[in-house]
Amino acid sequence: YLNAIAICALLNSNGHAYEFIDAAEMIQFDDSCTLNYSETIQSIKSTIASSSKKEVIIPGFYGRNKNTNIINASEKIVTFSRGGSDVTGALVAAALSDEYNMVYENWTDVDGIYNADPKICKNATVWNTLTYDHVHALSLAGANVFHPDAIYPVQINNVKTNIRNTNKPWKENGTWIVNDLLKRNNINCKDQIAIGVSSIVDKNELCVVSSNVKNNNVVRNIMVETLEHLNMKHTIINNETIPHPLIVNMKLEEKHDIDNAVQAVFSKLFL
């Protein structure tokens, strides 16, 4: 909130004409602290349409409980979970997509979406293009790439998302997220059997996201063979308990094995 006000003032002091709009005026939550999607979209449309400026700055990650019985203004503020600014940006992009040919640029601290955590796998690479299904699966599989709740608004409104590095704005094109890979050029994941390797640390689970559900059995066999070769005790997780059909999960018995397992499976799949 305060950062957005400060940035707006700084830009305007340099000759721009931005308007600060409080996210609490647009992002609407119900009493259960659940986002009211339809009211939020309509509120964003009407608020920005009524702005006297063509350029606006909106702070991320929070909104307001619309319950009029709450008297204390601070009690009306509701925040998204960590990374919720992704959701705010996606909602604004979705709301304006009827009027504009929107591209949602999501500026973060990495070059794009990797096929593994580069801190664990030094040869990890950035994808040029992925689908929203791929990214949703990665986010549910423990990869800290894009808030899972940010996917729905841009996906159903067919808004392309571009993940870029704030610290390296000149660096290539980051990762594009689209609905249909066939409409993008330079696709580098269509021939891969997997999209990424990650882990859910608190559950001690090794995860691989397949590029297509048809590849799940192949991916599962590679994971089993790799873990058995390393003498790592594991359990194959039942498909019914997995949160996304593209995810293949293994639960490891020893917590200290998880990073080594990620590295080994990554090498089998991508090197």
Side-chain angles (χ1 to χ4, degrees), residues 33 49 51 73 90 94 111 114 137 139-140 144 148 150 163 173 176 189 213 219 249 262-263 268:
C33 293
S51 171
D111 294 341
Y114 287 82
S139 66
L140 295 174
N144 185 23
I163 308 294
N173 293 316
W176 285 91
C189 71
V213 290
V219 167
N249 279 25
V262 169
Q263 292 171 351
K268 287 290 185 180

Side-chain angles (χ1 to χ4, degrees), residues 103-118:
V103 171
Y104 174 27
E105 290 188 346
N106 184 284
W107 292 87
T108 181
D109 59 354
V110 293
D111 294 341
I113 298 178
Y114 287 82
N115 51 10
D117 185 342

Side-chain angles (χ1 to χ4, degrees), residues 23-88:
E25 301 301 320
M26 300 185 295
I27 311 299
Q28 305 292 317
F29 288 87
D30 295 328
D31 283 345
S32 62
C33 293
T34 300
L35 176 71
N36 188 315
Y37 178 78
S38 59
E39 288 193 14
T40 292
I41 293 296
Q42 290 305 315
S43 181
I44 292 171
K45 287 181 177 180
S46 60
T47 301
I48 292 181
S50 63
S51 171
S52 60
K53 308 288 179 64
K54 291 185 177 180
E55 299 171 310
V56 299
I57 292 179
I58 306 165
F61 80 81
Y62 72 93
R64 176 174 293 174
N65 189 323
K66 63 177 184 173
N67 188 340
T68 56
N69 294 323
I70 300 177
I71 299 175
N72 189 334
S74 64
E75 292 181 0
K76 288 187 175 184
I77 298 300
V78 181
T79 61
F80 292 110
S81 59
R82 183 176 180 179
S85 291
D86 291 351
V87 186
T88 305

Side-chain angles (χ1 to χ4, degrees), residues 107-111 164-170:
W107 292 87
T108 181
D109 59 354
V110 293
D111 294 341
R164 304 287 296 275
N165 192 334
T166 305
N167 301 313
K168 303 175 185 177
W170 62 86

Side-chain angles (χ1 to χ4, degrees), residues 16 71 104 125 129 133 140 170 234-235 238 262:
H16 295 282
I71 299 175
Y104 174 27
T125 56
T129 311
D133 280 342
L140 295 174
W170 62 86
H234 61 277
T235 303
N238 191 312
V262 169

Side-chain angles (χ1 to χ4, degrees), residues 229-250:
H229 178 73
L230 296 172
N231 295 317
M232 293 182 180
K233 295 181 180 179
H234 61 277
T235 303
I236 299 175
I237 297 178
N238 191 312
N239 287 343
E240 295 178 358
T241 64
I242 295 175
H244 195 285
L246 290 176
I247 299 175
V248 182
N249 279 25
M250 304 279 173

Side-chain angles (χ1 to χ4, degrees), residues 239-267:
N239 287 343
E240 295 178 358
T241 64
I242 295 175
H244 195 285
L246 290 176
I247 299 175
V248 182
N249 279 25
M250 304 279 173
K251 185 174 182 63
L252 302 185
E253 188 172 304
E254 302 292 340
K255 286 189 175 181
H256 59 77
D257 284 339
I258 194 70
D259 284 356
N260 289 334
V262 169
Q263 292 171 351
V265 172
F266 171 82
S267 295

